[in-house]
Amino acid sequence: MNVITDAICPFCGSLCDDLTIKVENNKITDIQRACVLGHNKIAGVTDHARIEAPLVRKDGELVETTYEDAIERAAEILVNSKRALSYGWSSTSCEAVSKAIELAEETGSVIDSCANVCHGPTTLAVHEKGSPAASLGQVKNRADLVIFWGCNPVHAHPRHMSRYSMYAKGFFTKKGRKGRHIAVVDVRETDTAKIADTYVQVDPGCDFMLLQAIRSAINDNEDVIPEIVGGVPKETILELATMMKEARFSCVFYGMGTTQTRSKYKNGDAVSSLLYDLNQYSKSVMIPMRGHYNVTGFGQVCNWETGYPNAVDFTRKFAYYNPGETGASDTLLRGDVDAALVAAADPGSHFAQEAVKCLAKIPLIQIDPYHNPTTELADIVIPAAVVGVEAEGTAYRMDSIPLRMKKFIDTDFKSDEQIVTDILEKVRELKRGA
Amino acid sequence: MSELIIKNAAVCDPLNGINCEKMDIAVKDGKIVESVSSNADTIDAKGKLTMAGAIDGHTHCAGKINVGRLMSPHDMRMNPVNGLSGLQPATSVTRAQAGYNTPNTFALGYRYSKLGYTTLSEAAISMMAAKHTHEEFESIPILDKWGLTLFGNNWQVMNYVRDEEPEKLAAYLAWGLRATRGFGIKVVNPGGGEAWGWGKNVTSIDDEVPDFDVTPREILVELAKANEDLNLPHSIHVHCNNLGKPGNYETTLDTMKIMEGIKAARDRQVLHLAHLQFHAYAGNSWREFESASTQLADYINTKDHLTFDMGQVIFGPAMTMTADGPLEYSNARMLHSKWSNKDVELEDGAGVVPIVYSPKSFVNSVQWAIGLELALLVDDPWKVMFTTDSPNGGSFVNYPEAYSLLMSAKKREQIIETLPELAIDRMVLPGIDRELSFYELAVMTRALQSKMFSVDTIGHLGIGANADIAIYDIIPDKIDAGIEHEKVKQALSATSYTIKSGNLVVQDGEIVSSPRGKTYWVNASGRVPSEINEVTLKDIQNNFRKYYTVAMSNYVVDDHYLPNPIEINTQEA
Amino acid sequence: MQKVTLTLREKNRIPIVADSITPDNFAGLSDRDIEQIPVWHGNSQVFLGDIFEVVVDGSDTAENVVIEINGDVSRIKRIGQGMTAGEIIINGNVDMHCGCTMSGGKITVNGHADNWIGCDMRGGEIEVNGNAKYYVGSGYRGDTTGMTGGKITINGNVLDFLAEHMSGGEIHVKGDAGLLLGLANNGGTIIVDGDATMAAGEMKKGLIVIKGTVHEMLPVYREDGTEEFNGETYRKFTGDVNIRGKGTLLIK
């Protein structure tokens, strides 16, 4: 039996690194300390519907083929495209992301990550205002006030609260939960809100208004705040502001409730502006609750390799960046790409119907361990090892701390990194031939 | 194996006492050798200025720079320095390039190579994010790199300093260098970073660090001693308290003075002061702001225990990035600009803020002058490292601009004339007519670095050195740099040839090949007695168990992140 | 006078980047010359002659060049980028970044405009006789200075983020505006005849006039009496108070 300690969970952006995994005869027999989401992902490697062999669509049906054939066909599609979209890459390793960027550059494609439909607006906000952040341990060791804004860690990041935020005990926070005030701002009383000390219900789409009002309160401009803002009474707004000012160390964790609602990236921008002023009185930081375990890593690698964090368009050989124009959903909604490569993502279920229609019309290559609705649209399906279980590699936690994911069991499936490397080689071969 | 002969080179090699002498250089298997066979490839240098590959001893090239990139997508399009900035398409040899102050990794490698640089010292590795720095190192082509690890606000360091446990302190530093694959000890605003955990700062070397019962003075002195006990190749590398504040030169002098008694383990300084320009301000307020370069240079001219780098300011947009978290917040408030912050648990912080240095601003103009003053007022070039603290004072692509300022009093005069009168009153530059020679420039950009980092295979062209060579389109005895400063600037902006480890990487200012570089790291664990190591490890484990949010085993950087390592073992030295 | 008529041969789906279509570039060129100007169609280079039927009448300097574009160019980007003089008339819908960074001359769009029309504009004039989408007259990502001069008139409606980071010039929208118009205005003038939502955050200086209804007034402005504008009386607000802004917001 092989016991792997300090194993890293390849599910969410919390990237818990304290799991113990037992392996017998290349089978995972025990998973300790993972939450139910992480447990399902790791155990599901054998349970869920794996793509068992490379597939290619012939006469409307997906039929089995070899890796070589699938990779060659994929390369042909990319070489022949005028503007292909490469999308996903958030549930894979940084090493695979790096290769995917090289492939996009080589084929004059657009490349984007799942942040496009998740925390992409977070990066747009950083362009505007920067990001006053900290590592999660600063929250664990110092925070006496934690605000969850538009996020619900009880369900989406279950161990976040015990490891980093709500209950965590640290050097200056020996009392853990008892010494920490928890506030939740959300449109509905989530399960996280139910265990908080303060719950503020904001009207849908009014986060920006509320953030502006709190900022006015922080700056002693109470007179400009009307009696109710976004459904929140002025009195509550003033209380929130006082709470933030009087904390020794506060952190705002924000989720898709702020990034994907009305005003989108301007909400993150407003949190940043609020903290810019608040730090004159009290230490305060913000950390995005990133979903996919390595969507942060995609942003990091893409940023250092291209200059931009996502949505990079290489059609003109240099890197061009303009979300709203070069994002995955932007291009699919306009239908202005003629091929797509989707890896470690499922736009078939997560994108708007118009975008999915576009995917259905164009040649689509899928790289993924599992069958999902995107498979139904794909013309070439290349099965991959599950990174963090069957393949190792680097991932970045939601606070941009890098960790090296381990491999628990062996597999015959190729890793994402290997598949992209093979496609890239084939593409270069085809281009040389042409 | 591969052989190369460079003929008719005008070699400027201060470490070997060679001052622009015409000679041939033979290269075999990436090293400089006595002679090569007649089959060797030949480069005819035609009397051109030939130096060892330059070494940037203090640059922000990996890690925190990514925060700067994220804050400034518009920087990617900026193109103020033709050929060395902006968006450039991929070619058959190069990847796509972008940026000016915060270029992508590929652009960093190519553009430094075009300037004749072959080695970079990243100024700050955040311990917990060290893998990130190494990932970016791997992505920067051509150049060799190393990084200095941040220790100045580390809980375990401060605890050992307070508890007077110098042996454990040394053991922890050795562990930390290994865990982060760092090269040396970086100290940034000692104590101030911890105070910033609560939104506060320290204001002198004798302020107490909140909750830790130590002072910056104690942290600095104990780290310097431990540095020498470990026989590290570099001295402690210090970013003083009070960066950027009027009147801060006194803190800087204090910091220099407390190091006078430290005994060096090697033939080098015991203190390196980073970006001294930012620490050389007199006056009690911004209204009274003036240069204190004379006060600092007078002291440095009488002492031999320290080196410093300039931190020269370049007019135009720049991006400040430092582990000095409280400084960056006050910068952002003062400049009304964007602000990024990144505190790291138990260790340090970081901040990133964009800035524009304007020749119309009296403060910026004086800052611009101070960097030059320091370099010109300190008599011995072996104490002065050339930097802009890239991209804090300005992007490295502007180095040739700053070289030509150091080499031409006339050029300085032309710029000074355009500056605000108030600024001219507050600087001493107009009275300085010293002009640096190519030899002195070679000291400040190559030779000194070899000595101050104790790496004897780089920074010179002697037998056995790495074949890192830069050949510039200048015939040294046929040019008067004081007058033909524009020509000098152009020639130093793009080499005729850059050779890295024996490979031709730049020809006529264009990248012709892009090999991978290597990463240096320092292993000092051999200097730590095993019983001390054991008790120290217990303390480290305790911190991981109680306070860190990652496991110790996941924290350390493993071999995977250094596919081409150069390990320097301090036991063997 | 030089008249250049471009007639689209076939509507494209994959975008074409045609930043070369400016009076500056066309001045003094023959039809054959213009046909041979390269443009990007996706990741391949084609020539203007492949895309358009080109007819040139006369030859003159940029200020006397009129370019008329016929056909649906809603997938042709960057028409008029950086132009300094002359005129472009687009008889149809136009794609993104039309007239961006232009500093002189005039662009008329007889149709709808896509996102980023007049972005980073320095001078000159743009008139859209239809609707425009997002980021009219705004800046590029990350930049803190958008449009600095010139005039944009949209005779229809616009979507969100009108005039973000504007720091000079004038924008007049005759219909409604979307969310968050005039964010971080630093000296521009924005007039909206119709309605707007959450207008004018983080204004440092400048003037924003909303003649219709302001939905969801941001709680960052202090009311400061009334003010006359073009013969009408408005409630005057000053802010954004959180950045000690001196901007003026006039609403009914």
Side-chain angles (χ1 to χ4, degrees):
Chain A
M1 189 176 70
N2 188 14
V3 180
I4 301 152
T5 55
D6 299 340
I8 295 159
C9 176
F11 186 78
C12 80
S14 300
L15 225 55
C16 300
D17 75 333
D18 61 344
L19 275 54
T20 299
I21 308 287
K22 290 186 184 151
V23 177
E24 278 173 89
N25 299 325
N26 207 38
K27 290 257 184 324
I28 294 168
T29 54
D30 190 30
I31 303 163
Q32 286 169 18
R33 280 187 291 281
C35 70
V36 64
L37 300 171
H39 189 281
N40 280 349
K41 164 122 189 211
I42 297 165
V45 165
T46 44
D47 300 349
H48 297 167
R50 293 292 289 261
I51 300 165
E52 279 164 16
L55 305 169
V56 57
R57 196 170 293 278
K58 280 185 182 153
D59 305 323
E61 294 294 314
L62 285 171
V63 295
E64 271 193 31
T65 185
T66 60
Y67 266 115
E68 288 74 14
D69 180 53
I71 280 163
E72 181 157 2
R73 285 166 190 267
E76 275 167 9
I77 288 173
L78 293 172
V79 167
N80 292 326
S81 69
K82 267 197 164 61
R83 191 173 189 242
L85 168 68
S86 170
Y87 171 77
W89 311 108
S90 302
S91 292
T92 188
S93 68
C94 291
E95 290 80 359
V97 169
S98 174
K99 281 287 165 196
I101 291 166
E102 194 173 351
L103 177 63
E105 187 185 292
E106 185 69 50
T107 53
S109 307
V110 178
I111 183 163
D112 198 8
S113 76
C114 303
N116 187 245
V117 289
C118 174
H119 267 281
T122 299
T123 58
L124 292 178
V126 179
H127 301 338
E128 290 291 321
K129 295 288 163 59
S131 89
S135 75
L136 288 164
Q138 285 292 81
V139 181
K140 164 177 164 162
N141 285 294
R142 295 183 199 266
D144 54 352
L145 172 63
V146 171
I147 300 173
F148 294 105
W149 195 307
C151 57
N152 187 10
V154 168
H155 293 292
H157 300 85
R159 297 188 69 217
H160 187 279
M161 294 174 295
S162 58
R163 281 176 57 81
Y164 314 123
S165 53
M166 194 179 286
Y167 306 107
K169 290 180 182 170
F171 190 78
F172 299 106
T173 52
K174 299 218 160 56
K175 289 185 186 157
R177 175 70 180 88
K178 284 196 188 106
R180 197 175 271 132
H181 193 92
I182 306 293
V184 170
V185 183
D186 213 312
V187 293
R188 61 193 175 86
E189 192 175 4
T190 60
D191 286 338
T192 307
K194 285 180 187 141
I195 53 173
D197 301 302
T198 300
Y199 165 55
V200 177
Q201 185 162 25
V202 60
D203 287 346
C206 290
D207 306 83
F208 186 81
M209 293 285 287
L210 180 57
L211 285 160
Q212 296 296 328
I214 299 171
R215 192 180 182 198
S216 289
I218 295 280
N219 290 317
D220 296 326
N221 291 314
E222 290 171 32
D223 61 307
V224 305
I225 306 170
E227 283 313 307
I228 287 190
V229 178
V232 181
K234 181 171 181 176
E235 198 187 327
T236 308
I237 293 165
L238 298 180
E239 276 167 21
L240 264 176
T242 306
M243 194 189 290
M244 293 175 94
K245 259 179 154 169
E246 289 179 352
R248 281 192 84 196
F249 186 110
S250 60
C251 179
V252 180
F253 288 103
Y254 58 108
M256 282 168 63
T258 59
T259 64
Q260 292 293 337
T261 55
R262 198 174 63 135
S263 309
K264 292 204 163 183
Y265 72 101
K266 296 301 176 190
N267 295 327
D269 177 325
V271 176
S272 189
S273 298
L274 173 64
L275 266 48
Y276 179 78
D277 292 344
L278 179 61
N279 271 279
Q280 295 172 101
Y281 308 97
S282 155
K283 187 64 187 277
S284 185
V285 299
M286 61 195 277
I287 300 175
M289 295 288 262
R290 306 298 295 258
H292 292 282
Y293 70 85
N294 196 29
V295 67
T296 309
F298 181 97
Q300 293 284 351
V301 177
C302 195
N303 223 162
W304 76 59
E305 297 212 335
T306 72
Y308 303 115
N310 48 42
V312 180
D313 182 346
F314 281 111
T315 49
R316 288 182 283 164
K317 288 188 184 289
F318 60 83
Y320 173 69
Y321 169 76
N322 195 26
E325 177 182 6
T326 58
S329 61
D330 306 322
T331 62
L332 291 175
L333 285 171
R334 280 167 60 99
D336 62 8
V337 286
D338 60 0
L341 166 63
V342 171
D346 184 16
S349 1
H350 299 142
F351 274 41
Q353 208 182 350
E354 278 305 303
V356 176
K357 271 191 199 159
C358 172
L359 274 179
K361 277 187 212 148
I362 59 179
L364 173 62
I365 306 152
Q366 183 189 32
I367 304 173
D368 209 290
Y370 302 106
H371 277 281
N372 62 30
T374 303
T375 316
E376 303 310 313
L377 308 171
D379 300 289
I380 293 164
V381 179
I382 308 175
V386 178
V387 180
V389 179
E390 298 168 333
E392 57 176 14
T394 309
Y396 282 68
R397 207 165 67 176
M398 59 171 68
D399 57 349
S400 302
I401 296 297
L403 292 164
R404 184 149 186 86
M405 291 179 298
K406 299 177 167 88
K407 174 179 160 176
F408 309 146
I409 51 173
D410 293 327
T411 179
D412 291 334
F413 292 117
K414 291 190 180 206
S415 68
D416 295 326
E417 187 185 354
Q418 188 59 51
I419 293 165
V420 187
T421 305
D422 292 350
I423 296 176
L424 185 58
E425 227 167 77
K426 204 63 181 171
V427 161
R428 289 191 171 135
E429 199 182 301
L430 290 171
K431 281 173 82 174
R432 274 197 301 273
Chain B
M1 291 301 286
S2 72
E3 291 187 319
L4 172 70
I5 178 113
I6 300 164
K7 294 202 158 156
N8 306 312
V11 173
C12 185
D13 183 12
L15 272 173
N16 293 302
I18 298 167
N19 187 2
C20 298
E21 291 170 33
K22 198 171 247 191
M23 53 197 287
D24 298 347
I25 301 170
V27 172
K28 188 176 179 184
D29 299 337
K31 298 275 180 191
I32 292 173
V33 293
E34 289 279 4
S35 61
V36 284
S37 72
S38 56
N39 296 328
D41 292 337
T42 304
I43 288 175
D44 186 351
K46 296 178 185 160
K48 290 179 184 177
L49 178 66
T50 302
M51 297 179 177
I55 302 158
D56 196 339
H58 186 108
T59 178
H60 298 264
C61 64
K64 208 156 37 222
I65 189 174
N66 227 27
V67 178
R69 292 185 185 111
L70 187 59
M71 287 168 80
S72 58
H74 59 299
D75 182 83
M76 298 306 147
R77 313 194 305 172
M78 275 185 208
N79 190 15
V81 182
N82 205 15
L84 294 170
S85 58
L87 296 167
Q88 292 175 283
T91 70
S92 59
V93 188
T94 60
R95 301 285 300 273
Q97 301 175 61
Y100 171 49
N101 287 304
T102 54
N104 62 333
T105 45
F106 305 121
L108 271 166
Y110 306 144
R111 292 170 184 172
Y112 260 117
S113 300
K114 288 183 183 183
L115 296 177
Y117 278 76
T118 48
T119 308
L120 304 180
S121 175
E122 159 60 40
I125 298 181
S126 160
M127 295 182 77
M128 197 171 164
K131 290 185 202 77
H132 177 171
T133 304
H134 288 287
E135 282 208 285
E136 286 202 46
F137 277 173
E138 270 314 296
S139 183
I140 298 172
I142 303 174
L143 303 158
D144 294 336
K145 303 105 213 168
W146 66 67
L148 304 178
T149 305
L150 290 163
F151 284 107
N153 290 285
N154 184 297
W155 287 5
Q156 200 152 345
V157 166
M158 291 191 291
N159 287 341
Y160 287 149
V161 171
R162 180 195 56 219
D163 300 342
E164 298 178 27
E165 304 253 35
E167 287 180 305
K168 286 189 188 172
L169 175 62
Y172 176 69
L173 295 172
W175 178 85
L177 287 176
R178 193 188 171 92
T180 60
R181 302 303 174 107
F183 187 95
I185 295 174
K186 177 76 184 295
V187 187
V188 173
N189 186 8
E194 169 54 30
W196 181 238
W198 301 119
K200 299 183 167 58
N201 200 357
V202 294
T203 58
S204 83
I205 63 166
D206 291 313
D207 281 13
E208 197 168 288
V209 183
D211 308 305
F212 282 87
D213 195 21
V214 288
T215 61
R217 174 197 295 266
E218 291 160 351
I219 296 170
L220 284 162
V221 169
E222 293 309 313
L223 282 175
K225 286 185 194 161
N227 191 92
E228 302 311 316
D229 287 346
L230 291 170
N231 189 30
L232 300 183
H234 188 39
S235 67
I236 58 167
H237 192 111
V238 176
H239 158 143
C240 297
N241 303 107
N242 285 332
L243 183 146
K245 292 182 196 155
N248 64 7
Y249 83 94
E250 294 189 28
T251 305
T252 312
L253 273 178
D254 289 343
T255 308
M256 296 195 275
K257 285 177 185 163
I258 59 175
M259 295 296 162
E260 284 176 10
I262 307 289
K263 202 173 151 350
R266 297 178 184 239
D267 178 22
R268 53 143 172 75
Q269 76 290 348
V270 295
L271 168 69
H272 177 81
L273 286 175
H275 36 70
L276 194 60
Q277 176 276 127
F278 290 110
H279 305 273
Y281 304 154
N284 291 315
S285 66
W286 288 109
R287 276 163 59 118
E288 293 176 13
F289 181 81
E290 63 178 341
S291 165
S293 52
T294 311
Q295 293 92 316
L296 295 182
D298 285 350
Y299 175 85
I300 295 167
N301 278 331
T302 62
K303 303 290 174 189
D304 285 317
H305 67 293
L306 65 98
T307 53
F308 73 90
D309 64 83
M310 294 161 63
Q312 176 61 30
V313 156
I314 303 293
F315 289 126
M319 183 65 90
T320 68
M321 53 187 67
T322 164
D324 196 338
L327 160 82
E328 287 292 33
Y329 182 60
S330 56
N331 270 352
R333 294 297 310 182
M334 190 166 70
L335 301 166
H336 303 287
S337 76
K338 305 177 197 183
W339 170 52
S340 281
N341 179 75
K342 178 70 185 290
D343 299 347
V344 178
E345 62 211 60
L346 287 80
E347 291 177 0
D348 238 297
V352 183
V353 171
I355 194 170
V356 178
Y357 296 106
S358 167
K360 290 181 187 146
S361 148
F362 123 72
V363 169
N364 294 162
S365 299
V366 177
Q367 289 179 307
W368 171 85
I370 292 172
L372 300 169
E373 290 167 4
L374 288 166
L376 296 166
L377 289 173
V378 170
D379 303 327
D380 182 0
W382 292 91
K383 292 176 183 171
V384 188
M385 182 162 81
F386 176 90
T387 65
T388 64
D389 187 15
S390 178
N392 281 279
S395 167
F396 68 91
V397 299
N398 296 290
Y399 287 173
E401 162 73 11
Y403 301 155
S404 60
L405 285 165
L406 290 168
M407 299 182 81
S408 170
K410 187 176 153 207
K411 174 165 175 151
R412 297 196 294 265
E413 230 171 81
Q414 285 166 351
I415 293 176
I416 290 168
E417 274 173 15
T418 67
L419 300 177
E421 222 156 282
L422 182 60
I424 298 171
D425 285 348
R426 303 291 177 85
M427 59 175 77
V428 296
L429 190 63
I432 302 174
D433 55 8
R434 182 176 171 195
E435 292 181 334
L436 296 190
S437 63
F438 287 117
Y439 188 84
E440 288 170 310
L441 188 71
V443 172
M444 292 184 186
T445 52
R446 287 97 168 139
L448 162 67
Q449 285 82 343
S450 170
K451 253 191 93 189
M452 68 179 251
F453 291 103
S454 312
V455 184
D456 62 7
T457 49
I458 58 173
H460 71 100
L461 296 172
I463 304 303
N466 292 355
D468 297 348
I469 305 164
I471 304 173
Y472 298 98
D473 188 14
I474 289 178
I475 312 292
D477 54 6
K478 289 196 180 148
I479 194 161
D480 181 342
I483 293 168
E484 296 165 274
H485 52 79
E486 193 51 37
K487 214 167 147 187
V488 169
K489 180 180 164 181
Q490 289 315 317
L492 296 177
S493 293
T495 61
S496 295
Y497 304 92
T498 304
I499 291 150
K500 171 67 185 49
S501 302
N503 299 306
L504 184 62
V505 292
V506 179
Q507 187 167 357
D508 299 326
E510 295 301 328
I511 299 292
V512 293
S513 75
S514 181
R516 295 174 83 172
K518 296 188 273 291
T519 300
Y520 291 81
W521 72 282
V522 170
N523 186 350
S525 49
R527 306 281 297 186
V528 180
S530 60
E531 66 277 12
I532 300 292
N533 198 40
E534 259 170 52
V535 287
T536 308
L537 269 178
K538 286 212 171 89
D539 290 344
I540 297 170
Q541 282 158 352
N542 189 47
N543 275 341
F544 275 97
R545 205 166 45 243
K546 286 181 167 167
Y547 307 126
Y548 274 107
T549 55
V550 298
M552 188 165 150
S553 66
N554 290 322
Y555 176 97
V556 298
V557 178
D558 66 32
D559 291 342
H560 172 89
Y561 293 93
L562 287 84
N564 297 297
I566 301 176
E567 179 181 334
I568 296 177
N569 194 311
T570 67
Q571 185 73 349
E572 292 157 6
Chain C
M1 175 75 181
Q2 177 184 346
K3 172 107 192 247
V4 180
T5 308
L6 303 178
T7 306
L8 188 68
R9 292 182 188 276
E10 190 186 354
K11 198 194 161 188
N12 55 306
R13 193 167 181 81
I14 303 297
I16 290 167
V17 180
D19 51 349
S20 47
I21 301 180
T22 63
D24 306 76
N25 281 337
F26 287 3
L29 298 189
S30 69
D31 45 8
R32 292 228 28 196
D33 296 333
I34 292 171
E35 281 168 0
Q36 282 165 24
I37 294 176
V39 290
W40 285 99
H41 184 196
N43 56 22
S44 52
Q45 270 194 333
V46 295
F47 300 93
L48 275 182
D50 301 335
I51 314 288
F52 294 104
E53 200 177 293
V54 182
V55 178
V56 177
D57 183 10
S59 177
D60 212 327
T61 51
E63 61 271 25
N64 296 315
V65 171
V66 177
I67 303 169
E68 189 171 325
I69 302 173
N70 298 314
D72 182 357
V73 289
S74 61
R75 288 299 167 88
I76 300 187
K77 291 173 178 168
R78 298 186 181 274
I79 292 174
Q81 171 171 321
M83 67 188 268
T84 67
E87 198 176 343
I88 298 179
I89 299 158
I90 301 164
N91 296 316
N93 301 335
V94 70
D95 204 359
M96 298 178 188
H97 307 286
C98 179
C100 78
T101 68
M102 72 186 276
S103 58
K106 185 175 179 185
I107 297 176
T108 307
V109 180
N110 293 314
H112 302 306
D114 212 306
N115 309 335
W116 286 285
I117 188 164
C119 124
D120 281 333
M121 190 171 175
R122 301 286 170 253
E125 200 182 337
I126 294 176
E127 183 166 8
V128 178
N129 289 314
N131 300 325
K133 291 188 178 170
Y134 298 93
Y135 292 106
V136 173
S138 70
Y140 182 72
R141 302 275 178 208
D143 220 333
T144 48
T145 316
M147 174 173 172
T148 57
K151 184 172 181 186
I152 300 176
T153 307
I154 310 289
N155 286 311
N157 304 321
V158 301
L159 297 178
D160 307 344
F161 310 126
L162 169 76
E164 189 178 46
H165 291 299
M166 187 177 183
S167 54
E170 187 183 333
I171 296 180
H172 187 180
V173 176
K174 296 193 177 165
D176 297 331
L179 286 181
L180 294 163
L181 72 85
L183 259 181
N185 185 15
N186 191 17
T189 299
I190 303 164
I191 299 157
V192 177
D193 293 354
D195 302 345
T197 305
M198 297 197 283
E202 301 195 335
M203 176 152 55
K204 288 193 196 82
K205 59 184 191 210
L207 172 66
I208 298 179
V209 185
I210 315 288
K211 297 187 178 177
T213 307
V214 175
H215 301 291
E216 297 170 88
M217 177 75 182
L218 291 173
V220 294
Y221 279 86
R222 192 163 279 130
E223 189 155 7
D224 189 13
T226 60
E227 192 164 296
E228 294 281 305
F229 180 79
N230 285 349
E232 286 189 75
T233 306
Y234 292 85
R235 290 168 71 189
K236 182 190 177 188
F237 289 82
T238 304
D240 176 329
V241 296
N242 290 321
I243 55 164
R244 298 198 178 87
K246 303 275 181 287
T248 301
L249 172 62
L250 302 182
I251 64 175
K252 286 285 184 182

